[in-house]
């Protein structure tokens, strides 16, 4: 969905016998980084401001729905990493995916970490 924006690298998985696993696997290095979090439109009970970076409150699933992301910042991106600084950004997620990419992942039957729906503004 985003040709040229990220890096896919093949990896070899070695079995205990020393032979390579017969199925090909790849890693994905997400290169796009942006701050799409809209603090003012996010539910304040869903995040907390510690000393350095705002963090999503636990449990993630219950609080993710109150985190607002800006459609105008996201644009046509389908996967990205958030910007984490003391002034901006929110920790608690390693990366973000669009609804369209999530649907494609589900359709392909890929195994992923849990995804939580955020609010789009």
């Amino acid at each position: 969905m985003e040709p040229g924006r990220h890096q896919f690298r093949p990896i070899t998985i070695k079995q205990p016998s020393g032979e390579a696993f017969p199925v090909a696997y790849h890693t994905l290095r997400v290169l796009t980084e942006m701050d799409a979090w809209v603090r003012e439109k996010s539910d304040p009970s869903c995040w907390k401001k510690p000393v350095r970076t705002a963090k999503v409150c636990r449990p993630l699933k219950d609080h993710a729905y109150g985190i607002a992301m800006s459609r105008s910042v996201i644009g046509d991106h389908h996967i990205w990493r958030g910007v984490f600084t003391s002034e901006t950004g929110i920790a608690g997620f390693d990366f973000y995916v669009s609804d369209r990419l999530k649907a494609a992942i589900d359709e392909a039957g890929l195994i992923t970490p849990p995804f939580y729906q955020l609010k789009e503004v």
Side-chain angles (χ1 to χ4, degrees), residues 10-61:
I11 61 171
T12 301
I13 298 176
K14 298 279 185 170
Q15 299 183 76
S17 66
E19 292 182 48
F21 195 72
V23 177
Y25 285 90
H26 293 78
T27 61
L28 167 63
R29 183 172 174 212
V30 179
L31 298 177
T32 301
E33 185 177 76
M34 68 176 106
D35 179 19
W37 180 41
V38 183
R39 180 187 306 244
E40 299 78 27
K41 293 188 179 180
S42 294
D43 180 346
S45 68
C46 293
W47 59 276
K48 59 185 175 183
K49 177 72 170 145
V51 177
R52 295 188 177 186
T53 305
K55 295 183 186 252
V56 174
C57 299
R58 300 278 180 203
L60 285 176
K61 184 175 184 177

Side-chain angles (χ1 to χ4, degrees), residues 63-83:
H63 289 96
Y65 302 108
I67 302 299
M69 303 298 277
S70 169
R71 167 51 57 201
S72 64
V73 172
I74 296 167
D76 66 343
H77 293 275
H78 291 287
I79 188 167
W80 67 95
R81 293 182 296 120
V83 176

Side-chain angles (χ1 to χ4, degrees), residues 86-107:
S86 58
E87 294 82 29
T88 186
I90 187 166
F93 302 104
D94 293 328
F95 60 92
Y96 301 85
V97 301
S98 68
D99 292 341
R100 187 170 156 216
L101 178 56
K102 170 69 166 91
I105 289 168
D106 291 346
E107 186 176 314

